[in-house]
Amino acid sequence: MTTGTALAVVTGLLLAACGGDPPTDIASAPATGAPAQPDPRGMLAARVAVAKDQRYVAAYTLVVQGKAPRSVLVTVATDRTWRVDIQGGALGGSADIAIANRPEGVYQCPINPASGCVRVAATNKKLPAAIDPRLQYVFIAWLDVLLDRQVPLAVAPAQPLAGTSAPCFAVEPGVTAVQPPIDPGVFCYNDRGILVAAKIPLGQLMLTGEPAPAPETISLPGPVVAGAPLGTSSPPPPPSPKPSSSSPSVAPSISRSR
């Protein structure tokens, strides 16, 4: 027996005699920390990532307080062109319009009755504020905002909106700006990445029925024309009729003779 072996045997006997436990490997000891909490922003981003890959035709109802429900039809085509038809989307709710995005630009098209489409912005760009119904961003531009971790957002689980059992998330922009990257609201996505409900300053959106398969590309509801787009605000009232310019006749004075 070598000296090293003998020393190891003696050490083991001494430890056993003293009733000592063998040393514990700290690295192999199980962790006893609290379980990691779910990340609401990550959970929402996972559903939004699926939503970005979806192509569909889906009908929604928009409920605005004090107004009759309006219909919204969303088409995201296979080639990534898109179109959002908004009942009452212009002229203070008195005109129906479609906002359509194609490679050559973004168009505003009056519908019911349909007329010419006016190019109002470059492809995938925001519309001028005076003509912007903003609903189209819920389905297109805001998906990128919700996925971008560089955008400061506060995200928290929210109670499901009435009529849906899908998970809902409350989103609040974390910056103060004239034009925040997203409106505050509650967004609810199902497991397939379809927005089933949303509550935003514009009103509450609810999916009606199952989405239909997407077309290859979107079509404009009218020919492209040169002209002025419709504004979102109500048109000014017609001017009041002007009073007649003719002066009332004056009765002739009667002189008295003395």
Side-chain angles (χ1 to χ4, degrees):
M1 179 181 297
T2 64
T3 304
T5 304
L7 180 61
V9 171
V10 171
T11 302
L13 292 174
L14 290 173
L15 287 173
C18 296
D21 295 328
T24 302
D25 185 358
I26 298 177
S28 63
T32 58
Q37 297 297 319
D39 173 23
R41 184 162 186 177
M43 296 167 63
L44 174 58
R47 293 177 181 270
V48 172
V50 178
K52 280 209 67 172
D53 291 334
Q54 293 299 323
R55 305 291 181 265
Y56 58 89
V57 178
Y60 292 83
T61 297
L62 174 65
V63 178
V64 180
Q65 187 174 8
K67 296 183 179 180
R70 304 176 185 179
S71 62
V72 177
L73 184 66
V74 181
T75 302
V76 183
T78 304
D79 64 354
R80 296 182 180 272
T81 58
W82 54 262
R83 171 178 158 180
V84 180
D85 294 15
I86 307 169
Q87 183 183 19
L91 300 182
S94 62
D96 305 338
I97 59 170
I99 303 298
N101 183 82
R102 292 186 53 80
E104 60 272 18
V106 182
Y107 296 89
Q108 186 207 74
C109 310
I111 51 178
N112 301 324
S115 59
C117 296
V118 179
R119 186 177 182 272
V120 291
T123 303
N124 288 323
K125 297 299 182 181
K126 286 188 175 182
L127 277 61
I131 64 171
D132 193 352
R134 295 186 62 78
L135 272 179
Q136 69 275 13
Y137 302 134
V138 178
F139 306 97
I140 308 298
W142 288 354
L143 299 183
D144 291 328
V145 176
L146 293 173
L147 286 174
D148 189 352
R149 286 283 187 168
Q150 300 303 313
V151 177
L153 298 174
V155 180
Q159 291 294 325
L161 296 176
T164 179
S165 59
C168 298
F169 302 87
V171 177
E172 186 74 28
V175 295
T176 302
V178 176
Q179 187 63 58
I182 187 173
D183 289 350
V186 176
F187 303 88
C188 311
Y189 290 90
N190 63 18
D191 294 339
R192 293 173 293 158
I194 298 296
L195 181 77
V196 296
K199 188 174 184 179
I200 54 177
L202 292 171
Q204 183 165 320
L205 282 164
M206 294 296 298
L207 179 69
T208 58
E210 283 293 320
E216 290 294 326
T217 189
I218 62 105
S219 59
L220 299 178
V224 178
V225 298
L230 301 178
T232 55
S233 301
S234 300
S240 302
K242 295 181 180 180
S244 175
S245 59
S246 58
S247 301
S249 58
V250 179
S253 60
I254 301 174
S255 60
R256 293 182 180 181
S257 58
R258 293 185 179 181

